[in-house]
Amino acid sequence: MNILCVIPVRGGSKGIPGKNARLVAGRPLVEWSIAQALAAGLDVLVSTDDAGLAEIARAAGADVPFLRPAELAQDTTPTEPVILHAIRHRAAEGRRPDAVMLLQATSPVRLPGTIDRAVREFADTGVDSLVGVVPQTPFLWRLPETDGGDVRPQYDPAARPRRQDLHREDFFYRETGSLYLTRTEVYEQQDNRIGGRVGLFVMDEAEGVDIDTLVDLRIAESVLEDLAAAEAPGGAAGSREKPDPARDTTSAVVSHAESGFSRSGGEGLGSGQGDPS
């Protein structure tokens, strides 16, 4: 399967100015996602409007065949037109991909083997869209719908289970924005990264960091430094395998996308947070 990996990064960022070029654990933020995708053997294309970011990406080994048009680099620009722009560029070269992996540079924490595992699950399950998620316990609450109303638990407080007794179907799964793998025709026909038959790609909780603030950045940096230390000679490389929130996540969680799926507001907003990339 021919998979194009697109990493969209803008020069502008309101939350953390220049964050995509900012050094995080010893390398520019965008370089982490590039290195992870290249290690998985993917065709990596960085879509950016910024010449400095383009230079960083090329030096890291990514293909930067164009500077993104200004109309596709606004604060309000959704991610999907940016991906379609990259798809059309590859198609014009006679290299239309079968599927596109979208990696958000603002979610740089991915464990060794995560991207390879995503590609395998995508092929093995035959889904049309694979969405990166991290497990969340069901101990969630909703605010009242009206003033003076009651808060609403999303579980039964009278029968609160211990975390170690939870099963995979008891968990919620939060979309991280870190990783999406989607058949090209879903983008072309639905203008959406999520469509058709959808699989949930369960990632480690550590991989759920999305950099919106300086606190997020420090957390990501700490995790990345720990991973680098684990990969060093004598480290604990390979000690963190496929996440297993309920000790039996041996297959992808699969659903069908209904018409209610809506496009995220902008790049870097896959989890509903952050500045456009």
Side-chain angles (χ1 to χ4, degrees):
M1 180 180 293
N2 175 19
I3 296 176
L4 170 65
C5 176
V6 180
I7 303 173
V9 285
R10 286 196 313 134
S13 173
K14 292 182 177 178
I16 305 175
K19 68 180 175 183
N20 288 310
R22 186 175 181 132
L23 287 180
V24 179
R27 59 171 63 175
L29 179 59
V30 66
E31 189 177 315
W32 285 101
S33 295
I34 293 171
Q36 292 155 1
L38 289 174
L42 297 183
D43 173 20
V44 182
L45 185 154
V46 169
S47 174
T48 184
D49 63 324
D50 185 271
L53 283 170
E55 184 176 345
I56 291 170
R58 289 191 184 101
D63 183 22
V64 190
F66 52 75
L67 284 182
R68 195 194 312 173
E71 63 269 21
L72 292 178
Q74 305 302 308
D75 288 345
T76 56
T77 302
T79 300
E80 279 75 3
V82 175
I83 302 301
L84 280 166
H85 179 257
I87 289 171
R88 288 165 184 154
H89 182 88
R90 277 290 187 263
E93 297 176 327
R95 302 164 59 193
R96 179 185 178 275
D98 300 310
V100 178
M101 179 174 285
L102 164 62
L103 297 183
Q104 306 276 27
T106 51
S107 297
V109 180
R110 300 178 189 91
L111 300 183
T114 286
I115 292 176
D116 288 315
R117 181 167 63 87
V119 172
R120 288 197 304 271
E121 287 195 15
F122 186 75
D124 292 346
T125 59
V127 296
D128 300 302
S129 312
L130 197 63
V131 181
V133 297
V134 293
Q136 302 273 108
T137 67
F139 308 129
L140 302 176
W141 292 74
R142 287 188 180 274
L143 292 173
E145 295 179 356
T146 59
D147 290 341
D150 294 329
V151 295
R152 294 171 292 150
Q154 301 302 292
Y155 68 100
D156 182 3
R160 182 187 180 101
R162 299 182 305 165
R163 194 184 196 282
Q164 58 265 39
D165 293 331
L166 294 172
H167 301 290
R168 66 192 292 254
E169 64 271 14
D170 297 321
F171 281 76
F172 287 89
Y173 292 88
R174 176 175 63 84
E175 189 175 333
T176 67
S178 172
L179 182 154
Y180 301 84
L181 183 50
T182 309
R183 296 189 189 280
T184 299
E185 55 264 28
V186 172
Y187 278 107
E188 294 171 335
Q189 297 169 10
Q190 302 184 37
D191 192 20
N192 203 318
R193 75 190 80 173
I194 303 175
R197 187 166 177 252
V198 180
L200 298 186
F201 178 65
V202 183
M203 303 172 72
D204 191 276
E205 289 176 293
E207 297 176 286
V209 179
D210 183 42
I211 298 176
D212 291 324
T213 67
L214 286 173
V215 171
D216 297 331
L217 189 146
R218 292 184 183 117
I219 292 171
E221 185 163 49
S222 177
V223 176
L224 289 167
E225 287 172 346
D226 287 347
L227 287 174
E231 287 294 295
S239 62
R240 302 189 75 165
E241 297 295 336
K242 180 178 176 179
D244 190 9
R247 298 293 181 261
D248 67 347
T249 52
T250 54
S251 60
V253 181
V254 177
S255 67
H256 284 79
E258 303 295 342
S259 59
F261 274 98
S262 60
R263 185 168 52 198
S264 298
E267 296 167 46
L269 301 178
S271 58
Q273 303 172 4
D275 290 327
S277 299

